[in-house]
Amino acid sequence: MKIKEVRAIDNKRHESYLEILVNSSIDAFIATDMKGIITLFSKGAEDIFGYKAENVVGTPISDYYLKGKNEAKKIMKRLYEKGGLKNYETEMIVENGKRKDRTVTMNLSVSLLKDSSGELIGTLGIGKDFTEFKRIERQLQQSEKLATVGELAAGLAHEVGTPLNVILGTAEYLMMELEEDNPKAEDLKIIISQTENITKLVRQLLRFSRYNQPEFKPTDINALINDVLKLTDHQIPKKKIKEIKVVTDFQQDLPMVTGDDNQLTQVFINIFVNAVHAMPCGGTLSISTRLVKPSFSASSHDRFAEISISDTGIGVHPQNIQRIFDPFFTTKEVDKGTGLGLTVSHRIIEDHGGTIDVESNVDEGTRFIVRLPIHAREDTNVK
Ligand SMILES: Nc1ncnc2c1ncn2[C@@H]1O[C@H](COP(=O)(O)OP(=O)(O)O)[C@@H](O)[C@H]1O
Ligand SMILES: [Mg+2]
């Protein structure tokens, strides 16, 4: 009797110790029965997903896969075939408001649960939130791509420059030879103006691919954005039918960032002008700044000034969203866009140690989020 009692207590202790272990992990521990109904949802899972365990236990796991039941079936099939699943990446649905697109990229390792008699009783999945990791990975791929394209472009621009000058020179010479009223003069004018267009593009490309060392100094982002707004003011339509309202919300005590004024100005001009182009029938351009301190790190080096620029324009089609930072990707007419604006902006922000992200919904609008690090040294408040 006595021994049994001690064992019971021991078991209980053991149980709560396991519980403590499971709930101390920042990873998500999610167990299901053989029908895929959730039987355990750890503290880490609550943190990642934003749901409370009591609301999730008893519901099917397939509800939380972006791909739904198909994904659950696929995972079960692999589990049966291989006995386990390691580092499987899948998109999962989190609580409304937790993230804007309501999904996180989970890296899952799943195993089958057996009771002491060897009978299958369910599954245990351990999930890590890979969303941030994926974002950084994508950014890295993007920069590698840009570096290669940049080198290629610089070489090409150089090669093309000389023949272009010869064409332009020859056409101008012919132009001088012709009488004013010669009808051929019009044709020559076309050759000259089109060649000049190419020269302009090539020059822009060279400027982009040549490495310009940025000149860093403490920069007041709020003031810089106000200046950019003044610069772009004439581009913003104010007529009733296609009026664009500009709404700003600046955090007043935003610390200085270390940046190159000229380059950052260029970035925000690019983003603002794109937003204006995206709202041909008017809309709202909202710009806000705020200080962001990641919760997982106390270091002041990890603080960011976050600048959000959103428009209520046409949006970017999901199939294009990965491409908008690519060199020469444009959906605009030939003389309206070169497709280099965001490429250059991406590169500038990267040189500043920052990041630039985009979220968009077709027909609803687009939001660009620029994050610039605040360096401890320049950590003085803006007056
Ligand atoms: N705010 C926005 N709303 C909708 N589409 C956008 C927005 N900003 C950029 N884009 C898309 O990204 C493309 C690339 O932009 P960018 O690099 O600035 O080149 P460009 O403006 O010369 O086309 C644009 O052609 C457009 O399709
Ligand atoms: Mg542009």
Side-chain angles (χ1 to χ4, degrees):
M1 190 66 190
K2 213 161 185 193
I3 294 173
K4 241 189 181 172
E5 225 169 63
V6 171
R7 253 198 213 136
I9 291 170
D10 252 13
N11 264 341
K12 218 168 179 189
R13 264 202 206 134
H14 189 61
E15 213 174 79
S16 65
Y17 183 61
L18 279 182
E19 222 169 89
I20 290 172
L21 282 186
V22 166
N23 282 324
S24 316
S25 171
I26 55 165
D27 293 338
F29 280 66
I30 304 171
T32 72
D33 63 15
M34 286 312 285
K35 288 194 185 115
I37 302 296
I38 295 172
T39 52
L40 177 137
F41 198 76
S42 72
K43 176 82 178 40
E46 286 186 334
D47 287 343
I48 294 173
F49 285 86
Y51 309 118
K52 283 269 156 242
E54 65 235 44
N55 299 326
V56 175
V57 170
T59 62
I61 183 77
S62 56
D63 283 0
Y64 306 95
Y65 292 121
L66 190 65
K67 293 187 199 144
K69 287 206 176 88
N70 283 343
E71 187 72 339
K73 272 188 209 148
K74 189 168 149 191
I75 290 175
M76 276 319 271
K77 189 162 169 271
R78 294 244 194 128
L79 269 179
Y80 280 128
E81 280 168 8
K82 301 203 173 122
L85 194 64
K86 252 193 202 162
N87 296 322
Y88 180 79
E89 273 176 26
T90 186
E91 300 291 315
M92 296 192 77
I93 302 166
V94 297
E95 200 202 19
N96 210 350
K98 183 94 185 164
R99 297 188 71 89
K100 189 162 178 259
D101 58 3
R102 280 202 75 184
T103 60
V104 287
T105 308
M106 285 295 256
N107 177 284
L108 286 181
S109 292
V110 192
S111 46
L112 286 166
L113 294 175
K114 291 177 187 159
D115 68 6
S116 48
S117 62
E119 198 170 328
L120 288 176
I121 54 168
T123 69
L124 174 66
I126 303 173
K128 291 184 196 306
D129 184 353
F130 260 39
T131 317
E132 188 66 4
F133 176 79
K134 290 303 273 188
R135 191 174 68 81
I136 293 168
E137 194 180 60
R138 268 200 304 273
Q139 207 122 30
L140 209 68
Q141 278 172 357
Q142 183 71 36
S143 10
E144 274 166 18
K145 191 157 60 176
L146 290 189
T148 328
V149 174
E151 266 168 47
L152 268 177
L156 188 71
H158 211 82
E159 297 289 317
V160 168
T162 315
L164 271 181
N165 277 336
V166 176
I167 297 174
L168 203 59
T170 316
E172 275 166 353
Y173 170 75
L174 283 175
M175 191 75 173
M176 285 192 309
E177 297 284 288
L178 284 185
E179 300 293 323
E180 277 270 332
D181 52 357
N182 190 318
K184 297 251 157 60
E186 278 308 305
D187 297 334
L188 268 179
K189 266 190 204 148
I190 293 173
I191 294 180
I192 291 171
S193 79
Q194 292 299 318
T195 315
E196 275 168 354
N197 278 347
I198 306 176
T199 312
K200 225 187 280 166
L201 189 67
V202 167
R203 213 174 295 139
Q204 202 176 358
L205 190 60
L206 263 179
R207 204 179 315 136
F208 157 64
S209 41
R210 209 179 294 135
Y211 187 74
N212 282 332
Q213 194 77 40
E215 281 174 33
F216 289 126
K217 56 185 178 58
T219 304
D220 175 351
I221 280 292
N222 290 342
L224 185 129
I225 289 177
N226 267 328
D227 286 346
V228 174
L229 279 174
K230 273 179 223 148
L231 276 174
T232 46
D233 189 56
H234 66 280
Q235 300 240 12
I236 297 179
K238 303 199 177 59
K239 294 227 178 69
K240 261 226 164 91
I241 13 155
K242 46 185 212 168
E243 183 193 23
I244 291 180
K245 249 197 277 167
V246 180
V247 181
T248 56
D249 177 15
F250 294 157
Q251 178 163 336
Q252 287 310 325
D253 54 352
L254 194 67
M256 297 273 201
V257 303
T258 313
D260 179 312
D261 272 22
N262 279 328
Q263 293 197 346
L264 290 178
T265 301
Q266 196 187 341
V267 170
F268 293 112
I269 289 178
N270 283 337
I271 298 178
F272 291 180
V273 170
N274 281 344
V276 171
H277 282 164
M279 298 186 282
C281 308
T284 308
L285 171 66
S286 314
I287 303 143
S288 66
T289 61
R290 66 181 185 121
L291 178 65
V292 180
K293 214 172 174 175
S295 50
F296 52 82
S297 162
S299 156
S300 63
H301 294 279
D302 291 331
R303 299 192 311 158
F304 283 88
E306 185 181 274
I307 305 104
S308 154
I309 305 109
S310 38
D311 63 60
T312 56
I314 52 176
V316 183
H317 214 273
Q319 74 204 35
N320 288 341
I321 201 106
Q322 301 282 0
R323 303 173 59 201
I324 63 170
F325 294 105
D326 285 358
F328 306 112
F329 175 78
T330 180
T331 52
K332 297 173 191 173
E333 286 153 35
V334 182
D335 54 346
K336 261 211 152 171
T338 58
L340 284 174
L342 288 177
T343 313
V344 175
S345 304
H346 184 276
R347 160 142 164 205
I348 291 175
I349 295 301
E350 197 166 65
D351 284 347
H352 281 72
T355 59
I356 175 166
D357 288 290
V358 61
E359 298 165 348
S360 186
N361 287 315
V362 173
D363 291 338
E364 282 176 28
T366 306
R367 175 173 178 237
F368 281 88
I369 308 120
V370 175
R371 295 187 184 91
L372 290 165
I374 289 177
H375 296 292
R377 209 160 25 94
E378 271 80 26
D379 201 0
T380 43
N381 279 0
V382 179
K383 268 152 252 134

